Amino acid sequence: MSLQRELRERYDAVVVGAGHAGCEAALALARLGFQTIIFTVSVDSIALMPCNPNIGGSSKGHLVKEIDALGGEMGKNIDSTFIQSKMLNKSKGPAVHSLRAQADKKAYSDLMRQKLENNGNITVKQGEVTELIIDNGKIEAVKTYTGAVYECSVCILCTGTYLKAKCITGDVSTFTGPNGLMAANHLSDSLEQHGISIRRFKTGTPARIDGNTVDYSKMEPQYGDEKIVPFSFTNRAEDLSREQIKCWLTYTNEGTHEIIRNNLDRSPLYSGVIKGTGPRYCPSIEDKVVRFSDKNRHQVFIEPEGLYTSEVYIGGMSSSLPEDVQADMYHSVPGLEQARIVRNAYAIEYDCIDSLECKPTLELKKIEGLYSAGQANGSSGYEEAAAQGLMAGINAARKMRGKEPLILDRSQAYIGVLIDDLVTKGTNEPYRMMTSRAEYRLLLRQDNADLRLTPLGYEIGLIEEERYERLMEKQRLIEEEIDRIKSTSVGGTEKVQKLLKQYESTPLQSGITLAELIRRPELDYDKISSIDEARKSLPEDVCEQVNINIKYEGYIERQWKQVKQFKKLERRRIPKDIDYTKINSLRKEAVQKLSDIRPESVGQAARISGVSPADISVLLVYLQGCFT
């Protein structure tokens, strides 16, 4: 009788999950020279978009730009596969401008799969990781459902919504991941066995319908921008010009709401079937009808899922209502009266890690070499996941190289805000990035993400020399042009006065610098070009930075002063072995929170819920005594 032997292989890094977090993590590790194996329940689901068919949007566009600036892949991938591109919030200031693109979902997934498969340092493996093998508090290997063992120095968990996933439509529950894919039913148990706290969250998605059965004449067309703004700083607008598809806008009505209200007793949300906590900022349609009962209609966006499919996404109408109710509900919406449902809407419950288990590097505090990223950490959204995956990959690589980790603080990037919120404040619901979460959002604009972060990407090794040199030239041109504008004056000549009259701007009584003119609300850098005789032809992205930096100089300087104060507390490091129970006058709640979270700096400690300014003063006095 022959003895069965287990398969045993060795890699530098294991990535569990090939969603948006897993792809960025694996690519970062591989590009930094590490042999990486990435596991997925299905190789056909790599970089899958199981919910909305778009990348970017309010604040999320910032994350994609930052991912690109550091050397990630998401921005390049969506630039190659978008079918409509639009800049949101253009009527507002540049701090909240956010790029959003509809994706061809299949093309996006296929291209990302190609990037993984064509990297010589990446092995793509279909299989379910069921067990973590830990030795002396350090990750040693993972085991799959088939019993194969994969040894590693680091492991990154990017499990998305697959851990013990359950999809729910009415009173019908299926134990599957999104889109009917296999759930991962064992890894949660392994994590809990090693002392990791697990939570149960919920999200959902609307139905997909056959676009051929939609009456678009009853809807408002939504067009993309004529001028494309790339997500990736490596692309030029003119190279991305292509014919774009239309999206459509319609609305729910009182009839829709009546159908929903009459069937709330059959809703898993209200009957107690759903136990997981759902996202506050992306509620289901039944939740909207209950919470916003004063609204007689809600927006519904009809978004094509790709160029070679008739499926369309019903944005704004996610639901877990029974199938028959869904049919009545969707058919009550103008334009959808005859719509045929291809895929029912559903809610999905899944396990995730309490994000307070993670360090700012995204390494778990209790298990050395084990990292977690994306929805595994309780966040929501493709962009939030990709950002965490990239950072986890970078920090895992730097750990193996024996280098200091990369931790972006809240004044450097939206990515810094995202991770700091998760690991310092934690989250009791799926976390969504928003511009309002960033205190220094005027500095963290999407247009300057390359200037903020590409030097770091170059230092890490993810940005090539040529791209870095181009950035240095861009920065030089911006600085020189700002200096020139500030030192160039014009007087009240006929030409100048004519221009001012054209834009209803106050006439000049004496000389004024061009910078002072640009700061006028009705004027900008381009509008005054006809009276700027020494102006040179500069790249468009340089002109944009010149205009913003001059026009908002006062506000920007004010934020830099706030950052300076912020940095003081961030630089005050807290010893790793500090015993908070020994600090007199520290409140019991503060002792507990500080002991659990183990902040690395006084700044981080100050952001912990339950730690008061008085507690921080006590902590500062104690630290001062320790170092004197």
Side-chain angles (χ1 to χ4, degrees):
M1 186 176 69
S2 62
L3 295 174
Q4 184 178 352
R5 294 188 304 166
E6 67 181 19
L7 175 67
R8 201 172 189 94
E9 294 182 2
R10 170 80 197 181
Y11 290 86
D12 296 318
V14 168
V15 177
V16 183
H20 303 280
C23 289
E24 294 291 354
L27 286 168
L29 284 158
R31 288 166 175 169
L32 293 173
F34 293 99
Q35 287 295 319
T36 303
I37 184 168
I38 182 168
F39 286 92
T40 173
V41 295
S42 169
V43 291
D44 296 319
S45 67
I46 290 171
L48 178 70
M49 295 181 180
C51 194
N52 51 302
N54 57 66
I55 296 292
S58 183
S59 75
K60 293 170 180 280
H62 292 70
L63 290 173
V64 183
K65 286 277 198 176
E66 291 179 352
I67 290 165
D68 179 75
L70 285 168
E73 194 62 32
M74 180 175 263
K76 293 177 182 176
N77 213 60
I78 186 60
D79 278 351
S80 297
T81 58
F82 76 84
I83 54 180
Q84 189 193 91
S85 179
K86 198 168 191 175
M87 185 69 75
L88 305 182
N89 303 325
K90 284 193 291 189
S91 63
K92 301 177 182 177
V96 293
H97 290 178
S98 293
L99 188 59
R100 181 180 186 269
Q102 294 294 132
D104 184 311
K105 290 174 74 163
K106 188 174 188 305
Y108 185 95
S109 175
D110 288 347
L111 183 59
M112 191 66 85
R113 177 177 175 177
Q114 191 181 91
K115 292 288 171 64
L116 295 180
E117 292 178 339
N118 289 343
N119 188 301
N121 287 338
I122 293 177
T123 298
V124 177
K125 180 74 174 180
Q126 182 167 297
E128 180 188 350
V129 171
T130 58
E131 184 181 342
L132 303 172
I133 299 174
I134 312 296
D135 186 28
N136 290 322
K138 186 179 185 303
I139 187 74
E140 294 291 333
V142 302
K143 183 180 280 190
T144 67
Y145 188 76
T146 59
V149 174
Y150 296 86
E151 298 174 356
C152 58
S153 298
V154 298
C155 174
I156 304 177
L157 302 178
C158 305
T159 51
T161 61
Y162 287 83
L163 294 185
K164 291 190 177 177
K166 181 169 72 169
C167 290
I168 304 164
T169 299
D171 57 1
V172 178
S173 295
T174 52
F175 291 88
T176 65
N179 270 19
L181 292 164
M182 187 177 74
N185 291 317
H186 305 279
L187 189 56
S188 295
D189 296 335
S190 183
L191 284 162
E192 287 188 301
Q193 287 166 11
H194 292 292
I196 304 302
S197 176
I198 299 294
R199 292 184 166 185
R200 192 77 172 159
F201 277 1
K202 166 259 173 189
T203 187
T205 191
R208 308 307 195 275
I209 57 178
D210 182 350
N212 295 321
T213 63
V214 175
D215 183 354
Y216 295 108
S217 67
K218 296 181 178 179
M219 301 179 180
E220 302 168 24
Q222 305 290 298
Y223 301 97
D225 292 339
E226 285 187 24
K227 183 178 176 183
I228 301 299
V229 176
F231 271 107
S232 176
F233 291 97
T234 62
N235 289 324
R236 299 184 307 170
E238 52 267 33
D239 296 333
L240 300 181
S241 180
R242 68 188 73 155
E243 187 176 350
Q244 299 182 58
I245 55 87
K246 283 181 283 194
C247 295
W248 302 85
L249 174 64
T250 183
Y251 297 89
T252 62
N253 51 59
E254 275 301 331
T256 314
H257 300 178
E258 190 66 21
I259 291 168
I260 293 168
R261 281 192 290 263
N262 289 342
N263 288 278
L264 283 177
D265 60 319
R266 300 179 64 197
S267 166
L269 271 178
Y270 295 97
S271 66
V273 172
I274 291 176
K275 306 294 184 187
T277 306
R280 182 187 318 182
Y281 301 103
C282 190
S284 65
I285 187 63
E286 51 264 43
D287 214 13
K288 287 183 188 176
V289 169
V290 171
R291 287 167 53 187
F292 307 108
S293 57
D294 58 316
K295 303 288 185 185
N296 56 20
R297 70 176 191 172
H298 294 284
Q299 287 183 326
V300 179
F301 289 96
I302 306 301
E303 302 171 337
E305 297 230 311
L307 296 177
Y308 304 103
T309 176
S310 65
E311 274 190 88
V312 295
Y313 177 88
I314 312 180
M317 286 192 77
S318 67
S319 177
S320 58
L321 285 162
E323 185 174 18
D324 61 303
V325 181
Q326 287 188 31
D328 291 343
M329 173 182 76
Y330 289 126
H331 289 156
S332 71
V333 175
L336 302 184
E337 293 90 348
Q338 304 301 320
R340 288 200 293 265
I341 296 176
V342 178
R343 309 185 200 215
N344 288 325
Y346 61 86
I348 182 168
E349 287 189 325
Y350 56 95
D351 286 351
C352 58
I353 292 170
D354 181 347
S355 59
L356 294 178
E357 296 274 5
C358 296
K359 300 176 184 178
T361 60
L362 297 181
E363 184 179 25
L364 270 67
K365 297 170 184 175
K366 294 172 183 172
I367 303 175
E368 185 181 352
L370 181 63
Y371 295 74
S372 181
Q375 286 178 286
N377 284 340
S379 64
S380 69
Y382 312 142
E383 303 82 5
E384 290 91 336
Q388 292 173 68
L390 176 64
M391 296 304 295
I394 288 170
N395 284 320
R398 292 180 74 80
K399 184 180 184 71
M400 286 188 282
R401 290 262 191 257
K403 294 184 176 180
E404 286 294 308
L406 174 67
I407 299 173
L408 300 173
D409 69 40
R410 301 179 73 90
S411 69
Q412 287 178 288
Y414 269 76
I415 295 175
V417 175
L418 163 67
I419 294 175
D420 183 65
D421 278 353
L422 287 171
V423 305
T424 302
K425 301 175 182 178
T427 183
N428 294 318
E429 62 189 37
Y431 176 98
R432 179 179 179 174
M433 192 69 241
M434 294 182 290
T435 52
S436 59
R437 296 189 192 273
E439 307 93 309
Y440 311 113
R441 54 187 170 274
L442 186 54
L443 305 179
L444 307 182
R445 306 182 310 276
Q446 61 173 18
D447 59 77
N448 69 357
D450 58 337
L451 295 163
R452 290 185 280 117
L453 298 175
T454 295
L456 282 174
Y458 174 68
E459 182 185 327
I460 292 161
L462 290 177
I463 297 291
E464 63 276 12
E465 182 82 28
E466 182 185 356
R467 181 174 174 181
Y468 177 70
E469 291 297 333
R470 286 201 307 271
L471 178 75
M472 292 299 99
E473 175 63 9
K474 174 181 175 179
Q475 190 165 319
R476 182 187 68 79
L477 290 173
I478 293 167
E479 291 171 355
E480 287 182 356
E481 182 66 352
I482 288 174
D483 288 343
R484 185 190 71 81
I485 289 289
K486 286 183 174 181
S487 60
T488 301
S489 297
V490 292
T493 64
E494 183 181 348
K495 187 177 182 180
V496 170
Q497 303 291 33
K498 185 178 178 181
L499 176 92
L500 297 178
K501 184 177 180 181
Q502 177 186 343
Y503 291 106
E504 298 181 354
S505 192
T506 305
L508 295 184
Q509 302 299 321
S510 60
I512 192 173
T513 66
L514 294 177
E516 289 174 290
L517 282 179
I518 289 171
R519 290 191 194 105
R520 292 186 176 188
E522 64 277 5
L523 299 177
D524 61 30
Y525 179 67
D526 285 335
K527 286 177 180 176
I528 67 162
S529 60
S530 62
I531 60 171
D532 183 4
E533 296 176 357
R535 177 168 170 171
K536 300 176 185 176
S537 177
L538 293 169
E540 192 172 343
D541 57 346
V542 170
C543 296
E544 179 183 37
Q545 292 305 308
V546 170
N547 184 62
I548 290 172
N549 277 279
I550 290 175
K551 199 165 192 64
Y552 299 97
E553 184 178 40
Y555 299 102
I556 290 171
E557 284 182 356
R558 191 181 308 162
Q559 287 227 318
W560 276 120
K561 287 178 182 177
Q562 294 168 351
V563 168
K564 192 174 179 182
Q565 292 300 114
F566 161 78
K567 293 278 192 183
K568 282 183 181 178
L569 291 181
E570 295 302 300
R571 284 193 292 267
R572 292 298 303 271
R573 310 307 290 177
I574 299 176
K576 291 182 179 179
D577 59 351
I578 189 170
D579 184 350
Y580 291 102
T581 63
K582 300 288 178 65
I583 303 178
N584 295 328
S585 302
L586 206 56
R587 293 176 311 113
K588 287 183 180 179
E589 183 184 6
V591 169
Q592 180 187 338
K593 293 288 183 68
L594 291 166
S595 299
D596 288 344
I597 296 173
R598 310 300 301 178
E600 298 188 1
S601 69
V602 174
Q604 186 186 359
R607 294 189 293 277
I608 296 174
S609 174
V611 177
S612 70
D615 295 319
I616 294 300
S617 297
V618 170
L619 179 60
L620 283 168
V621 171
Y622 178 82
L623 292 174
Q624 185 71 24
C626 289
F627 295 104
T628 54

Coordinates of all heavy atoms in Angstrom, one line a residue, residues 587-621:
R587 N -7.2 57.9 32.9 CA -8.5 57.3 33.2 C -8.5 55.8 32.8 O -7.8 55.3 31.9 CB -9.6 58.0 32.4 CG -9.8 59.4 32.9 CD -10.8 60.1 32.0 NE -10.5 60.0 30.6 CZ -11.3 59.3 29.7 NH1 -12.4 58.7 30.2 NH2 -11.0 59.2 28.5
K588 N -9.4 55.0 33.4 CA -9.4 53.6 33.2 C -9.7 53.2 31.7 O -9.1 52.3 31.2 CB -10.5 52.9 34.1 CG -10.0 52.8 35.6 CD -11.1 52.1 36.4 CE -10.6 52.0 37.9 NZ -11.7 51.3 38.7
E589 N -10.7 54.0 31.1 CA -11.0 53.7 29.7 C -9.8 54.0 28.8 O -9.5 53.2 27.9 CB -12.2 54.6 29.3 CG -12.6 54.4 27.8 CD -13.7 55.3 27.3 OE1 -14.0 56.3 28.1 OE2 -14.2 55.1 26.2
A590 N -9.0 55.0 29.1 CA -7.8 55.3 28.3 C -6.8 54.3 28.5 O -6.2 53.8 27.5 CB -7.3 56.7 28.7
V591 N -6.6 53.8 29.7 CA -5.7 52.7 30.0 C -6.0 51.5 29.1 O -5.2 50.8 28.5 CB -5.6 52.3 31.5 CG1 -4.8 51.0 31.7 CG2 -5.0 53.4 32.3
Q592 N -7.3 51.1 29.1 CA -7.8 49.9 28.4 C -7.6 50.1 26.9 O -7.0 49.3 26.2 CB -9.2 49.7 28.7 CG -9.8 48.5 27.9 CD -11.3 48.4 28.1 OE1 -11.9 48.9 29.0 NE2 -11.9 47.7 27.2
K593 N -8.0 51.3 26.3 CA -7.9 51.5 24.9 C -6.4 51.6 24.5 O -6.1 51.0 23.4 CB -8.6 52.8 24.5 CG -10.1 52.8 24.7 CD -10.8 51.9 23.6 CE -12.3 51.9 23.7 NZ -12.9 53.2 23.4
L594 N -5.6 52.3 25.2 CA -4.2 52.4 24.9 C -3.5 51.1 24.9 O -2.6 50.7 24.1 CB -3.5 53.4 25.8 CG -3.9 54.9 25.6 CD1 -3.5 55.8 26.7 CD2 -3.4 55.4 24.2
S595 N -3.9 50.3 25.9 CA -3.2 48.9 26.1 C -3.6 48.0 25.0 O -2.8 47.2 24.5 CB -3.6 48.3 27.4 OG -3.2 49.1 28.5
D596 N -4.9 48.1 24.5 CA -5.4 47.3 23.4 C -4.8 47.6 22.1 O -4.3 46.8 21.3 CB -6.9 47.3 23.4 CG -7.6 46.6 24.5 OD1 -6.9 45.8 25.2 OD2 -8.8 46.8 24.8
I597 N -4.8 48.9 21.8 CA -4.4 49.4 20.5 C -2.9 49.5 20.3 O -2.4 49.4 19.2 CB -5.2 50.7 20.1 CG1 -6.7 50.4 20.0 CG2 -4.7 51.3 18.8 CD1 -7.6 51.5 19.9
R598 N -2.2 49.9 21.4 CA -0.8 50.1 21.4 C -0.3 51.1 20.3 O 0.4 50.8 19.4 CB 0.0 48.7 21.2 CG -0.5 47.6 22.0 CD -0.3 47.8 23.5 NE 1.1 48.1 23.9 CZ 1.5 48.3 25.2 NH1 0.5 48.3 26.1 NH2 2.7 48.6 25.5
P599 N -0.8 52.3 20.4 CA -0.4 53.3 19.4 C 1.1 53.5 19.4 O 1.8 53.4 20.4 CB -1.1 54.6 19.9 CG -1.3 54.4 21.4 CD -1.5 52.9 21.6
E600 N 1.6 53.9 18.2 CA 3.0 54.0 18.0 C 3.5 55.5 18.3 O 4.7 55.7 18.4 CB 3.4 53.6 16.6 CG 3.1 52.1 16.4 CD 3.6 51.6 15.1 OE1 4.3 52.4 14.4 OE2 3.4 50.4 14.8
S601 N 2.6 56.4 18.3 CA 2.9 57.8 18.6 C 1.9 58.5 19.4 O 0.7 58.0 19.5 CB 3.1 58.6 17.2 OG 1.9 58.7 16.6
V602 N 2.2 59.6 20.0 CA 1.2 60.4 20.7 C 0.1 60.9 19.8 O -1.1 60.9 20.2 CB 1.9 61.6 21.4 CG1 0.9 62.5 22.1 CG2 2.9 61.1 22.5
G603 N 0.4 61.2 18.6 CA -0.6 61.6 17.6 C -1.6 60.5 17.4 O -2.8 60.8 17.4
Q604 N -1.1 59.3 17.2 CA -2.1 58.2 17.0 C -2.9 58.0 18.2 O -4.1 57.7 18.2 CB -1.3 56.9 16.6 CG -2.2 55.8 16.3 CD -1.5 54.5 16.0 OE1 -0.3 54.4 16.1 NE2 -2.3 53.4 15.7
A605 N -2.3 58.1 19.4 CA -3.0 57.9 20.7 C -4.1 58.9 20.8 O -5.2 58.6 21.3 CB -2.0 58.0 21.9
A606 N -3.9 60.1 20.3 CA -4.9 61.2 20.5 C -6.1 61.0 19.6 O -7.2 61.5 19.8 CB -4.3 62.5 20.1
R607 N -6.0 60.1 18.6 CA -7.1 59.8 17.7 C -7.9 58.6 18.1 O -8.9 58.2 17.4 CB -6.6 59.6 16.2 CG -6.0 60.9 15.6 CD -5.7 60.7 14.2 NE -4.6 59.8 13.9 CZ -3.3 60.0 14.0 NH1 -2.9 61.3 14.3 NH2 -2.4 59.1 13.7
I608 N -7.5 58.0 19.2 CA -8.3 56.8 19.7 C -9.5 57.2 20.4 O -9.5 58.0 21.3 CB -7.4 55.9 20.6 CG1 -6.2 55.4 19.9 CG2 -8.2 54.8 21.2 CD1 -5.2 54.7 20.8
S609 N -10.6 56.6 19.9 CA -11.9 56.9 20.6 C -11.9 56.5 22.0 O -11.5 55.4 22.4 CB -13.0 56.1 19.9 OG -14.3 56.2 20.5
G610 N -12.2 57.4 22.9 CA -12.2 57.1 24.4 C -11.0 57.6 25.1 O -10.9 57.5 26.3
V611 N -10.0 58.2 24.3 CA -8.8 58.8 24.9 C -9.0 60.3 24.7 O -9.1 60.9 23.6 CB -7.5 58.4 24.2 CG1 -6.3 59.1 24.7 CG2 -7.4 56.9 24.3
S612 N -9.1 61.0 25.9 CA -9.4 62.4 25.9 C -8.2 63.3 25.8 O -7.1 62.8 26.0 CB -10.2 62.8 27.2 OG -9.3 62.7 28.3
P613 N -8.3 64.6 25.5 CA -7.2 65.5 25.5 C -6.5 65.5 26.9 O -5.3 65.7 26.9 CB -7.8 66.9 25.2 CG -9.0 66.5 24.4 CD -9.6 65.3 25.0
A614 N -7.2 65.4 27.9 CA -6.6 65.3 29.3 C -5.7 64.1 29.4 O -4.6 64.2 30.0 CB -7.7 65.3 30.4
D615 N -6.2 63.0 28.9 CA -5.3 61.8 28.9 C -4.0 62.0 28.1 O -3.0 61.5 28.6 CB -6.1 60.6 28.3 CG -7.3 60.2 29.1 OD1 -7.3 60.2 30.3 OD2 -8.4 59.9 28.5
I616 N -4.1 62.7 27.0 CA -2.9 62.9 26.2 C -2.0 63.8 27.0 O -0.7 63.6 26.9 CB -3.3 63.5 24.9 CG1 -4.1 62.5 24.0 CG2 -2.1 64.0 24.1 CD1 -3.4 61.2 23.7
S617 N -2.5 64.8 27.7 CA -1.6 65.7 28.5 C -0.9 64.8 29.6 O 0.3 65.0 29.8 CB -2.5 66.8 29.2 OG -3.0 67.6 28.2
V618 N -1.6 63.9 30.2 CA -1.0 63.1 31.2 C 0.1 62.2 30.6 O 1.2 62.0 31.1 CB -2.1 62.2 31.9 CG1 -1.4 61.1 32.7 CG2 -3.0 63.0 32.7
L619 N -0.2 61.6 29.4 CA 0.7 60.8 28.7 C 2.0 61.6 28.3 O 3.1 61.1 28.5 CB 0.1 60.2 27.5 CG 0.9 59.3 26.6 CD1 1.4 58.1 27.3 CD2 0.1 58.8 25.3
L620 N 1.8 62.8 27.9 CA 3.0 63.6 27.5 C 3.9 63.9 28.7 O 5.1 63.9 28.6 CB 2.5 64.9 26.8 CG 2.0 64.8 25.4 CD1 1.3 66.1 25.0 CD2 3.2 64.6 24.4
V621 N 3.2 64.2 29.8 CA 4.0 64.5 31.0 C 4.8 63.2 31.4 O 6.0 63.3 31.8 CB 3.1 64.9 32.2 CG1 3.8 65.0 33.5 CG2 2.5 66.3 31.9

